[in-house]
Amino acid sequence: MTTTITLNGQPIAVHAEPDTPLLWVLRGELQMNGTKFGCGMALCGACTVHLNGEPVRACITPLSAVGNAPVTTIEGLQGPEATALREAWTAVDVAQCGYCQSGQLMSACALLKKTPRPSDADIAAAMSGNACRCGTYPRIRAAIHQAAGNKVA
Ligand code: FES
Ligand code: FES
């Protein structure tokens, strides 16, 4: 069936059954491959997107749960937090293989929007669902702190 979702600020028609995971729609139908498939079971965070501004796991979010809520993927992530995070990610040289990193950035951006100056504990709590097999966690934490300090209001 055809459904219209709001993706990165634009209405877009998708052709999928209501129980299709949003991740399949993004990657399979729309070829938006910035959002990654990792575990498919809400365990790794690689598929994290924003739904109505909140980080969600696209692998377990059915199309039927999206409704009129705006979906934002790494391709459409904008704003002062996103800009500061991208700059900090580069400055700190966070990424290794890069596979987990779009999900990490989506979670980090949601954190900074709610908590502009997060503590180490805030970062640990917000990022605990994003796994990195390369072990970039210390640099992710450093980059989030750096982005929080550099963010333009
Ligand atoms: S692929 Fe969705 S949480 Fe791992
Ligand atoms: S950078 Fe390789 S999995 Fe995180």
Side-chain angles (χ1 to χ4, degrees):
M1 62 180 282
T2 301
T3 309
T4 300
I5 63 172
T6 302
L7 177 62
N8 296 332
Q10 300 290 330
I12 188 161
V14 298
H15 310 284
E17 295 305 311
D19 61 351
T20 305
L22 177 60
L23 182 60
W24 290 184
V25 173
L26 293 173
R27 290 183 58 86
E29 179 172 347
L30 303 176
Q31 282 85 54
M32 299 196 65
N33 293 327
T35 306
K36 303 302 185 196
F37 171 77
C39 63
M41 297 186 290
L43 298 173
C44 75
C47 66
T48 304
V49 299
H50 292 178
L51 181 61
N52 220 6
E54 296 292 330
V56 299
R57 305 303 188 230
C59 68
I60 58 154
T61 302
L63 188 56
S64 60
V66 173
N68 296 322
V71 177
T72 305
T73 66
I74 190 69
E75 292 89 348
L77 194 66
Q78 295 176 351
E81 293 86 3
T83 299
L85 283 164
R86 286 190 171 103
E87 289 173 352
W89 241 245
T90 302
V92 176
D93 200 13
V94 172
Q96 290 196 29
C97 81
Y99 198 84
C100 71
Q101 298 289 318
S102 70
Q104 303 280 5
L105 282 162
M106 298 306 289
S107 291
C109 193
L111 166 65
L112 286 189
K113 283 179 187 288
K114 279 190 178 162
T115 310
R117 288 284 188 169
S119 64
D120 281 352
D122 293 331
I123 293 171
M127 304 300 292
S128 64
N130 286 85
C132 176
R133 63 190 170 187
C134 300
T136 63
Y137 304 110
R139 295 207 297 270
I140 288 171
R141 186 174 60 221
I144 291 173
H145 281 307
Q146 184 164 318
N150 292 343
K151 182 166 51 66
V152 178

